[in-house]
Amino acid sequence: MAERPEHSKGGVYSRKGEEFDRDTRYIATRVKRTVDDGEDAVPVEPDRYRLIAARACPWANRTIIVRRLLGLEDAISLGLPGPTHDADSWTFDLDPGEVDPVLGIHRLKDAYLKRDPHYSRGITVPALVDVTTGAVVTNDYAQMTLDFSTEWTEHHRPGAPDLYPEGLREEIDEVMARIYHDVNNGVYRCGFAGSQEAYEAAYLRLFEALDWLEDRLTLQRYLVGDSITEADVRLFTTLVRFDAVYHGHFKCNRSKLTEMPVLWAYARDLFQTPGFGDTIDFEQIKRHYYLVHTDLNPNQIVPKGPDPVAWLSPHHREELDGSPFGEGTPPGQVRNGERSPNPVELA
């Protein structure tokens, strides 16, 4: 089958031989504390960059969580596109006049074209935009959060956790690699499979990985070490969307998250930790997937359930060794203007 580019919420993908294939050719410019001559990087500078990150997108959700956990709100501003987009661009539907108040644009695509007038790849979130030029600096979401942890340390809040501790990086990287290939991207490989064979291969690989995670987390509170790391952030954004979207919409239906007792308790533990659940908007998540993916849901019917209040039920994970922030402290209240319009609350 010929390669056919299409838009997915993580960017552009293609089907090669009926198997989902994500385009990972991101703008790789980094934001670093020290920039060497000739390096594709720009300097860390507070108030210079604006993070554009839709709540609906799991890849963007990571950056919102990490920014909040580290207390980078004063250094990096946040722009929030609406939950839906067309084939052309994410848009700032939620802002007054549907224009981002800092960048002054309606379409995120305009910031990509400022960077490269001939830019032809996916208009993806998250994107870090240079406010002084209006141009995208990078959309490399995986490197972006690692740089938030390692290059922006002078601007972290007091008590910020070390999400990428040097002594654990090799293990964190190994765990994150499997989570990305088999879980984060695995649900998409199920949902956008172009053949029964491709779907079943992706399905088996996904649930083998979830079973591995269930075993790994039975006796330890977090994926690596005794406190939250980048690995937990990356797994959480898929788990929190699992029952609301991936189980039905992407046909990942061997088990619901609520039927995997260890992972369900682990996910609730994170959800109830400041910096995680307070970034989540289930209504925006569902509207994105069920309205944008018209090839999977042509009638654009958005399901009413599941009831998100279950995320607030007791998890008992605090009985295991470890604490979320190690020797640090939780972040404070969510900033005005950054609160989810649809928070999960007990009746």
Side-chain angles (χ1 to χ4, degrees), residues 240 243-244 256 258 264 268 271 282-283 286 303-313 342-347:
V240 79
D243 287 4
K256 295 179 181 177
T258 54
W264 173 224
R268 298 200 316 280
F271 188 91
F282 284 108
E283 291 306 309
K286 290 190 294 184
K304 294 291 289 182
D307 187 346
V309 76
W311 283 90
L312 301 180
S313 62
N342 299 292
V344 179
E345 297 174 329
L346 292 170

Side-chain angles (χ1 to χ4, degrees), residues 16 50 73 236 248 255 271 295 315 341:
K16 296 178 179 178
R50 184 162 177 82
E73 293 97 332
F236 173 78
S255 310
F271 188 91
D295 51 342
H315 53 76

Side-chain angles (χ1 to χ4, degrees), residues 92-128:
F92 294 96
D93 305 344
L94 305 178
D95 290 308
E98 298 190 356
V99 171
D100 180 85
V102 173
L103 301 177
I105 57 176
H106 170 61
R107 305 179 310 160
L108 179 57
K109 182 177 182 178
D110 293 344
Y112 278 85
L113 295 179
K114 275 272 190 177
R115 166 71 184 245
D116 177 3
H118 305 290
Y119 186 83
S120 60
R121 300 199 295 275
I123 307 302
T124 64
V125 289
L128 204 61

Side-chain angles (χ1 to χ4, degrees), residues 143-221:
Q143 187 62 52
M144 199 184 301
T145 49
L146 296 180
D147 284 345
F148 284 177
S149 284
T150 60
E151 301 293 334
W152 288 81
T153 52
E154 293 177 8
H155 304 284
H156 290 181
R157 64 178 176 84
D162 186 351
L163 299 176
Y164 197 47
E166 199 162 350
L168 296 176
R169 287 181 189 176
E170 183 176 354
E171 185 178 1
I172 291 171
D173 289 346
E174 289 176 358
V175 170
M176 291 194 304
R178 184 166 186 188
I179 288 171
Y180 169 75
H181 289 293
D182 296 351
V183 181
N184 300 146
N185 202 41
V187 293
Y188 285 87
R189 291 171 67 242
C190 290
F192 291 111
S195 71
Q196 187 71 31
E197 182 180 14
Y199 162 70
E200 290 186 10
Y203 176 98
L204 290 173
R205 188 169 167 181
L206 166 66
F207 282 100
E208 285 176 359
L210 291 175
D211 289 342
W212 167 70
L213 290 163
E214 184 94 347
D215 289 342
R216 184 181 183 92
L217 290 164
T218 297
L219 297 177
Q220 60 188 70
R221 190 171 181 183

Side-chain angles (χ1 to χ4, degrees), residues 49-51 67 72-78 128 148 152:
Y49 307 104
R50 184 162 177 82
L51 174 63
R67 171 181 173 271
L72 289 172
E73 293 97 332
D74 287 336
I76 304 170
S77 66
L78 178 65
L128 204 61
F148 284 177
W152 288 81

